[in-house]
Amino acid sequence: MKFCVTTLVISLQICSCIIWTVGGQDNRCQGYTINNYYGITRPDGLNTSYTQAQGQTGPKGDRGVPGPRGPRGPRYDLLSRLPELKNLLTPKTCSYLTGIPGFNPQNGDYLIHPSPTKVLPLSANCNFSGIATTIIGHDALNEEKVSSCNPKKCYRRSVHYEATIEQITALINASLHCRQFIKYRCIASYMLHASWGPSSSWTSRSGNEIGYWGGAQRVGYCACGESGTCVDPTFNCNCDRNTVVETSDEGYITDKELLPVIGMAFGDVGDSGEHGWHTLGPLECWGRN
């Protein structure tokens, strides 16, 4: 997006890239242009702009009474359309980008503003392969090995995002759906064993430890426990079998009131034959709320 100012012409171009330029020309962006009449010029050359010149006082009527004023000029028209332009410049989410006429969806980073009155704009990754999805990354995307320790939840991993929790919460509230993938790969390291008590958990954005795993919604359950597909059907998680055979529990967390995940805890990895690895995907949101 660029904003060019000269002595005669003011132009504003809406682009998939976000570039502010004062003076000069930059033709790398392709999109709609708000021209010097503050209308919209489409990439194909069609112009929907207002073509009025600066308003002037009309001729006097009978008995010296001033006639009607001419049409208001471009300066007034720009001011009257600022709310509209603001929405075009800072869409609430990636989904709103698809509502801009002539927008050419290309995957990449974009500036969004989920709640202009509450938070600052933020940079997010937009994926337009299918449903337009807003993606926020963090510093725990890669699989990490759990450090050796034995007590329940003795290993803790905090998660730091590429936006503030306030910005992320605004994004979640502006979206119809959100989700986050979470996985624990284990060897002789249990998770939510009903008899021994939970050794693992994840932390919601409000700081509460949650006692179910991705793909489930009941405390003490993993996805396979809710679907009845665990390796050993007498357990609610694959890892709760606690054997030397490697297995895993994984799935999506979809409760918008709890997302994003800001921490994870694991235990039962103190002996030489006990191992665990965790993976947490980015926050993904789509739809308009």
Side-chain angles (χ1 to χ4, degrees):
M1 162 173 64
K2 64 182 181 181
F3 186 52
C4 305
V5 180
T6 68
T7 57
L8 297 177
V9 178
I10 301 176
S11 66
L12 177 63
Q13 186 169 17
I14 311 300
C15 315
S16 59
C17 53
I18 299 171
I19 303 174
W20 285 95
T21 303
V22 178
Q25 294 292 326
D26 189 330
N27 297 318
R28 288 177 295 170
C29 297
Q30 299 297 324
Y32 273 55
T33 300
I34 309 301
N35 61 22
N36 58 308
Y37 298 109
Y38 311 106
I40 298 178
T41 301
R42 295 174 20 169
D44 57 10
L46 296 179
N47 188 2
T48 61
S49 65
Y50 295 105
T51 57
Q52 297 95 336
Q54 174 67 42
Q56 299 178 357
T57 302
K60 292 184 177 181
D62 296 338
R63 299 181 181 179
V65 177
R69 292 183 62 88
R72 286 175 169 172
R75 177 180 176 84
Y76 176 85
D77 189 53
L78 174 63
L79 294 175
S80 69
R81 298 182 65 188
L82 280 180
E84 173 190 347
L85 298 178
K86 185 176 182 180
N87 289 335
L88 290 175
L89 294 174
T90 54
K92 295 173 70 175
T93 70
C94 297
S95 177
Y96 285 82
L97 277 167
T98 60
I100 298 177
F103 173 72
N104 181 23
Q106 297 182 8
N107 297 344
D109 294 333
Y110 293 79
L111 190 69
I112 63 171
H113 205 176
S115 182
T117 61
K118 295 182 180 180
V119 298
L120 294 173
L122 66 144
S123 177
N125 184 266
C126 295
N127 189 312
F128 300 103
S129 303
I131 299 175
T133 303
T134 307
I135 302 171
I136 305 294
H138 53 74
D139 64 351
L141 292 173
N142 298 324
E143 183 179 72
E144 297 180 22
K145 193 177 191 308
V146 176
S147 302
S148 178
C149 65
N150 196 55
K152 301 171 183 177
K153 305 178 185 179
C154 56
Y155 168 92
R156 293 185 178 272
R157 175 63 158 90
S158 297
V159 183
H160 305 284
Y161 287 83
E162 297 171 350
T164 67
I165 291 299
E166 291 75 19
Q167 289 172 317
I168 295 174
T169 301
L171 165 64
I172 291 172
N173 291 337
S175 304
L176 191 61
H177 302 287
C178 292
R179 68 179 187 178
Q180 195 165 11
F181 178 78
I182 192 168
K183 177 181 178 179
Y184 187 57
R185 185 164 63 91
C186 56
I187 298 176
S189 176
Y190 80 92
M191 293 186 66
L192 306 174
H193 200 288
S195 300
W196 303 338
S199 182
S200 304
S201 66
W202 56 274
T203 306
S204 69
R205 71 168 181 255
S206 59
N208 296 322
E209 289 192 357
I210 308 301
Y212 63 81
W213 205 239
Q217 294 184 332
R218 286 186 289 173
V219 173
Y221 279 77
C222 295
C224 71
E226 291 220 328
S227 64
T229 58
C230 292
V231 175
D232 186 336
T234 61
F235 295 102
N236 295 328
C237 297
N238 286 322
C239 290
D240 287 353
R241 193 181 181 196
N242 201 37
T243 69
V244 295
V245 178
E246 181 182 316
T247 186
S248 65
D249 287 289
E250 60 192 74
Y252 283 96
I253 300 166
T254 59
D255 190 333
K256 290 172 56 180
E257 297 299 319
L258 302 179
L259 292 171
V261 176
I262 64 170
M264 296 171 286
F266 303 94
D268 190 33
V269 285
D271 296 339
S272 60
E274 297 174 336
H275 305 281
W277 299 263
H278 62 76
T279 304
L280 182 67
L283 177 70
E284 304 171 89
C285 295
W286 66 95
R288 304 179 186 184
N289 194 14

